[in-house]
Structures are given as C-alpha cells and as structure tokens.
Amino acid sequence: MPAERAPWRTAALAALFFIAVAVIALRQDANWDLRNYHLYTPLAWLEGRLAQDIAPAQLQTWHNPTVDIPFALMVRAGLGGLPITLWLAIPSLLALYFALRLLDTLMPAQRSRARTWIAGFVIMTGAAMYPGTAAIFNDHIVGMFVLGALLWWAQSQGRRGPFATWLPVGLLAGAAAGFKLTGVTYCLGFIAAALVAGPLRQLPARILALAIGGGVAVAVCWGPWGWYVWKLHANPLFPYFNQWFLSPDTIADSWRDARYVPRSLIDLFDPPLQLLRRSRHYSEPLLADPRLLLGLCALGAWLWLLRPGARAAEPVAVADPAAATAQANAVALRWPLLAFVAVSYFAWAGVYGIYRYLLPLEVLCSLLIVGAVSMLFAHKRPVLAMLAAMVLVVVPTKHPNWGRDSFRTPMIAVKFPPLPAGSVVLTSTEHPIAYAVAFLPHEVPAMAVRNNFMDPQRCTRLQERVERTVAGNPGPLWLLRPVRPDPPASDRIALYGLSVSAACTPLDNNMGDLELCPLARAPFAPICVKP
C-alpha cells in the first residue's frame, strides 16, 4: 500500500457520509428512555416541576438532564423530527471523526483513503454505534469525549509536555462522566494509561493534570444538577448509592442494575465470546457483535508488530523525518493504550455489563481490526485484506432495535383536555409515559403510585407524600396510563382506595396511545403514613 496520507478532510468526509446515511435509514428516535425521562426531566428541571412531581419517570427521573436541555427545548418549540435528529447526530459525527483520526495516529505508516473509508464502515456498523446514532441515549456523547481524549493524548505524544497533554484529557473524560455516570469507567482507563504513559519522574504531573481536568469538568457538567438534587433529596446522586447518603426519600439501597453484571470472576472474561451469538446477555433487545473479540486480538497483533526489533517498529527512512517521528510516537503508545483498554473493559464488565456503555471500546476495537490488517498485509494486497476483514466483522453483527419512528413535525406533541383546578395526575405503570407529563399544565402535579421506583410496600418520605395527596387532595384525581394498561395497574391503585370511575379520554398524542381516566376514591388503610 502506498504510504498515502489520509488528511483530516478524508476522515471528515467519511464521517459525514456514514452519519448522513444512518440518519436517513434510522429516522427519528423513539426509544424507551426518550419516552421515559430524556424529555421529561430537563423540562421538569427548567420549569420547576421536579419539586412537586414524584417519580413520573420512575427510577430514571433523577438522571443528569444537563446535556438533554437543547433537545428538550427544541421539542418544546415544536421542531420537527429531522432537525432534532440532525442535532442529536452531532456527537456520533464527532466520535466517528475522532476515531478515524486516531487510526491514522496509531498506525501512521499505512494511512490511505481506502483504509479510512473501510474503517469508517466497520466502525459505523457496530451494534452500539449504528443503532445509537442520533439517539438520545447519550452513549455517543460519552464516546465523543472519550475518543476525543484518546486522539488528543495520541497526537500529543512527543509534542506536548505531561501537563499540556493530560489536562485536556482530564477535561474531556470528566465531561463524559459528568454528563453520564457510565463514563466513569473510562476515567479509570485514563488513570491506568497515565500511570505507564511516560517517565516515572513525570507521573505526578500526569496524575495531577488528569485530576484537575477531571475535577473541573465534573464540577461544570454535573455540579449544578448534583447540587439541585442534594437540596431536594439530601443525596447528590439520588437515588443511587443511598446506602451511603441515607436520604429518607428512598430506601437505603444502591439501586444498581445488576442484570448484566458477571456472577463470578470467570464471567468477567465471557463477553467477547458471548457476543459472538445473538443473545440478551448484555442488552434488552437481541444483539451480536464480534468486534470486541476480534478487536482484542487485533490489539495483541498491533503490540506484537510494534515489539522491539519487529519490522513495523523500525523507523522509516531518514529522508522522511516526520514519518519517522510519527512511527516512534505510535510505538510509545502501545502499553498505555493496552492499560486503557484493559482497565476500561474490566470496569465496564464488573460494574455495568450493558453493551451500549461499551461504545468507546467497540469503536476502538473496530479501528484496531482494520489497522492491524493494514499492517499485517502492508505488502500483500492490503485493500483486499481489509475488505475481507470488513465482511468478517460486519456480517455476524446483529443490531438491537431500540425503536424509531418516521420523521414528523412536531417531533413530539401531547395535548391534555382542560383539567379542573386542584387536579392531580397519577401514574401506575412501568411503561415509559413521562414524556406526556412534560405537557401537563404547570399547576397540575404528577405522582407515581407504583413503578420501577415507587412501591406502596416500601415506606419512604416520597411514598408518604403520595399517600397524603391521595387521601387529602381536595381536587379530582386522574390516572394517566397506556390505552392497554398492564393488568396489575388496577390492583396497585386499589391499595390506595382508587378505582376508575368513568370512561377514559384518549390523549391527542403522536408518540403512542395514552388515556386519562377519572378516579373515584374510597377510604383506605394508610400503608406508610403513621396515624
């Protein structure tokens, strides 16, 4: 392969093309999380609803909504699905661009336009990358910051001092964790990389710069929300880690989702193999992806090719000193990158195990696969070899279906009928319906009597507030529910002496079938409120 440079323009063009194709093919987002909290929570925070409502978006009501505010304001302004989707695609675009530039930095000698386009396709078709493109999950925002940090660190090798290198890395990694808590796993990966990323005498400067950058970014990206939640519930991470903060508003529990967490030490090593077949081991919908296994193998091949004495590790001709410097810098990145991958992987597997959260490593594995093949076959039809590797990776991939709708204007619209003064809307379902609550009049509070967070059998201060409202509210009570309610819903509201008293009114709603039902009250024995 000619040592043709793939400039930033090629990476940018490839990223724009693949993201545009994905936006057209996928259409506007309609996933469970969007319906549950990504619209409700930012608007409720901005409009003061969170102090009066009780958990309409279930456990996820208190996820940091800072990064969702632009999306929520666009929906509130009545924008259509296409412009909002284009906005949501920006993190995906930047993550893909950073990844393609990172490939050129890690493996500079084999750079070419062909490799950039092939790598773009392999990255774009990942089981986390493709279905999450232009979605509101915010995993691509984590990916954007993490891959941007990796690119900065890789391109700083041999050019910048330890502080100038690692302070921006800390800022980017801290922003990822501040906006979405799952980004903490990659912060641990960067700490591991910093430990082995240069001379021992510079280690204090690297760690200090990383800590300062991370602390500042977390304070900016998470601090305002954490302070707000602390004032409401005496737990800045509410409801998570409440076994430490002991807020009376919920039980003393971590609220950790352990469905996908390994049950034994051996299980920590299972995901690369388990992901070869379609399953729900690491996701609610079916998925399969060989990138993690093949990417780890490619990482090993890359390390082997850059070992001392290997041909790929030798400096190129002195006639091209810039290329020689780039190659030497790539060699110096070997062990820090290995440390980053290993610690990030085990932190993800041990704490979460949810495949979506693995997106930065999926992207990194994708580019390593293409890059390692370009090195192994540098003199033996490399384009053909990379195309073969592309087929080997893409064909077995099964993308999870998170839910999409056709583009429409407005993207989301819900209209409630006029409600009498003093009304309170109740919910009793684990279906995601809080997006509709965002369209309630401000003076009408919404409270959950039962969902994945509220439970009448668990006595907390929030549960007491619900009981007091049901027993003592002078105005009418209404039940917001799916048109086809889940069967236990009537039993749940019966615990409060409630029953549907008349015909329900379907809502004018372009996101799903919901209805508003008047409730009749009967005396009931208090569950949590002490007499």
Side-chain angles (χ1 to χ4, degrees):
M1 179 186 300
E4 172 193 8
R5 291 182 181 274
W8 68 267
R9 293 179 182 84
T10 304
L13 182 61
L16 279 168
F17 173 79
F18 288 121
I19 295 300
V21 171
V23 165
I24 294 169
L26 289 168
R27 304 165 298 161
Q28 74 177 37
D29 192 17
N31 73 71
W32 193 96
D33 288 1
L34 183 154
R35 296 168 184 267
N36 190 42
Y37 70 95
H38 281 290
L39 178 63
Y40 166 77
T41 303
L43 290 178
W45 186 24
L46 293 175
E47 298 170 1
R49 291 198 63 94
L50 283 172
Q52 66 178 14
D53 292 351
I54 297 180
Q58 312 190 66
L59 173 67
Q60 296 83 4
T61 297
W62 298 276
H63 286 192
N64 184 0
T66 304
V67 78
D68 294 329
I69 288 174
F71 159 77
L73 292 177
M74 290 179 184
V75 172
R76 177 66 86 210
L79 269 64
L82 180 57
I84 293 177
T85 301
L86 292 175
W87 165 260
L88 295 177
I90 292 175
S92 308
L93 175 68
L94 291 175
L96 181 54
Y97 172 75
F98 293 152
L100 295 175
R101 298 301 294 143
L102 180 62
L103 171 60
D104 289 342
T105 306
L106 295 177
M107 304 170 196
Q110 295 78 30
R111 289 185 291 187
S112 73
R113 291 186 179 89
R115 189 178 74 172
T116 298
W117 283 92
I118 293 170
F121 186 74
V122 173
I123 293 168
M124 195 64 224
T125 51
M129 184 68 181
Y130 176 71
T133 295
I136 196 66
F137 286 126
N138 295 334
D139 299 312
H140 284 57
I141 289 179
V142 173
M144 173 186 70
F145 283 118
V146 171
L147 291 162
L150 285 170
L151 178 61
W152 175 268
W153 162 57
Q155 291 187 339
S156 297
Q157 186 69 34
R159 297 173 53 198
R160 301 181 178 96
F163 210 86
T165 296
W166 290 96
L167 180 65
V169 170
L171 287 168
L172 292 167
F179 284 136
K180 185 159 185 171
L181 192 59
T182 58
V184 169
T185 57
Y186 301 103
C187 294
L188 298 177
F190 281 116
I191 293 172
L195 292 175
V196 295
L200 186 61
R201 68 179 182 277
Q202 294 179 349
L203 178 60
R206 294 195 297 269
I207 296 300
L208 179 62
L210 195 61
I212 292 174
V216 169
V218 168
V220 171
C221 300
W222 171 79
W225 173 250
W227 176 248
Y228 178 81
V229 176
W230 170 265
K231 290 192 297 181
L232 278 183
H233 302 293
N235 175 352
L237 297 170
F238 188 85
Y240 299 104
F241 305 108
N242 203 53
Q243 77 275 26
W244 299 336
F245 292 100
L246 300 177
S247 166
D249 289 336
T250 189
I251 59 175
D253 188 79
S254 69
W255 289 99
R256 180 188 179 197
D257 185 353
R259 290 175 296 169
Y260 307 104
V261 176
R263 298 292 186 266
S264 68
L265 184 62
I266 296 176
D267 290 344
L268 284 172
F269 299 89
D270 269 356
L273 293 173
Q274 293 284 357
L275 287 165
L276 294 178
R277 63 186 183 90
R278 299 184 178 195
S279 72
R280 291 186 172 89
H281 287 302
Y282 308 105
S283 169
E284 292 95 339
L286 281 172
L287 70 79
D289 199 313
R291 284 167 180 76
L292 185 57
L293 177 62
L294 296 179
L296 294 175
C297 294
L299 176 61
W302 181 62
L303 295 172
W304 180 77
L305 289 168
L306 294 183
R307 72 193 187 281
R311 182 174 180 180
E314 295 295 328
V316 296
V318 292
D320 190 354
T325 300
Q327 185 70 7
N329 290 338
V331 172
L333 295 170
R334 294 174 300 155
W335 303 121
L337 188 66
L338 175 63
F340 171 83
V341 170
V343 172
S344 297
Y345 167 79
F346 285 114
W348 165 82
V351 177
Y352 295 111
I354 297 172
Y355 186 78
R356 284 194 294 112
Y357 303 163
L358 198 64
L359 181 137
L361 284 191
E362 178 195 271
V363 172
L364 186 58
C365 286
S366 299
L367 66 89
L368 285 170
I369 293 167
V370 177
V373 170
S374 74
M375 294 177 69
L376 287 167
F377 294 87
H379 305 290
K380 300 176 183 178
R381 297 185 178 180
V383 174
L384 185 61
M386 288 188 292
L387 289 172
M390 179 185 77
V391 173
L392 180 65
V393 172
V394 172
V395 169
T397 301
K398 162 62 179 173
H399 297 123
N401 180 8
W402 297 112
R404 297 276 179 161
D405 287 342
S406 299
F407 292 119
R408 59 175 175 259
T409 301
M411 181 180 181
I412 304 171
V414 181
K415 185 176 182 181
F416 282 86
L419 297 177
S423 291
V424 174
V425 170
L426 305 178
T427 66
S428 179
T429 180
E430 294 189 12
H431 291 288
I433 63 173
Y435 71 92
V437 175
F439 292 87
L440 273 173
H442 180 270
E443 65 275 9
V444 178
M447 299 183 176
V449 298
R450 176 67 170 87
N451 56 29
N452 68 15
F453 177 74
M454 299 295 294
D455 188 335
Q457 305 303 321
R458 290 196 294 250
C459 290
T460 65
R461 190 163 62 184
L462 290 181
Q463 186 63 40
E464 290 180 15
R465 278 183 58 195
V466 171
E467 285 191 26
R468 293 183 190 279
T469 300
V470 170
N473 184 66
L477 300 178
W478 305 85
L479 179 66
L480 177 64
R481 68 181 187 183
V483 169
R484 294 181 180 179
D486 42 320
S490 58
D491 297 335
R492 294 165 184 166
I493 64 174
L495 293 173
Y496 299 86
L498 299 172
S499 60
V500 175
S501 62
C504 300
T505 303
L507 294 188
D508 184 358
N509 170 24
N510 67 358
M511 279 284 284
D513 296 326
L514 300 179
E515 58 187 8
L516 194 65
C517 307
L519 292 173
R521 283 179 278 194
F524 70 99
I527 304 168
C528 294
V529 176
K530 302 297 186 292

Short mmCIF file of all heavy atoms in Angstrom, two decimals, residues 83 125 159 215 339 382 428:
data_model
loop_
_atom_site.label_atom_id
_atom_site.label_comp_id
_atom_site.label_asym_id
_atom_site.label_seq_id
_atom_site.Cartn_x
_atom_site.Cartn_y
_atom_site.Cartn_z
N PRO A 83 -34.78 18.10 11.98
CA PRO A 83 -33.76 18.98 12.57
C PRO A 83 -33.30 18.52 13.95
O PRO A 83 -32.12 18.66 14.28
CB PRO A 83 -34.46 20.35 12.64
CG PRO A 83 -35.91 20.08 12.49
CD PRO A 83 -36.02 18.83 11.67
N THR A 125 -20.99 0.37 11.59
CA THR A 125 -21.94 -0.74 11.62
C THR A 125 -21.90 -1.52 12.94
O THR A 125 -22.49 -2.60 13.04
CB THR A 125 -21.67 -1.71 10.46
OG1 THR A 125 -20.28 -2.07 10.44
CG2 THR A 125 -22.02 -1.06 9.12
N ARG A 159 5.04 15.75 21.43
CA ARG A 159 4.83 17.15 21.04
C ARG A 159 4.53 18.05 22.23
O ARG A 159 4.83 19.23 22.20
CB ARG A 159 3.66 17.25 20.05
CG ARG A 159 3.88 16.53 18.73
CD ARG A 159 2.61 16.55 17.90
NE ARG A 159 2.09 17.90 17.73
CZ ARG A 159 0.84 18.18 17.36
NH1 ARG A 159 -0.02 17.19 17.14
NH2 ARG A 159 0.45 19.42 17.20
N GLY A 215 -11.71 16.99 37.65
CA GLY A 215 -12.49 17.66 38.69
C GLY A 215 -13.23 18.88 38.18
O GLY A 215 -14.40 19.09 38.51
N ALA A 339 -3.21 -0.54 28.71
CA ALA A 339 -3.71 -0.30 30.06
C ALA A 339 -5.10 0.33 30.02
O ALA A 339 -5.99 -0.05 30.80
CB ALA A 339 -2.73 0.61 30.81
N PRO A 382 -3.29 -5.07 0.52
CA PRO A 382 -3.91 -4.66 1.79
C PRO A 382 -5.37 -4.28 1.67
O PRO A 382 -6.16 -4.55 2.58
CB PRO A 382 -3.05 -3.46 2.20
CG PRO A 382 -2.43 -2.97 0.93
CD PRO A 382 -2.20 -4.18 0.10
N SER A 428 -49.44 4.62 37.29
CA SER A 428 -49.27 3.32 37.93
C SER A 428 -48.85 2.31 36.86
O SER A 428 -49.62 1.42 36.49
CB SER A 428 -50.56 2.88 38.62
OG SER A 428 -50.40 1.61 39.22
#
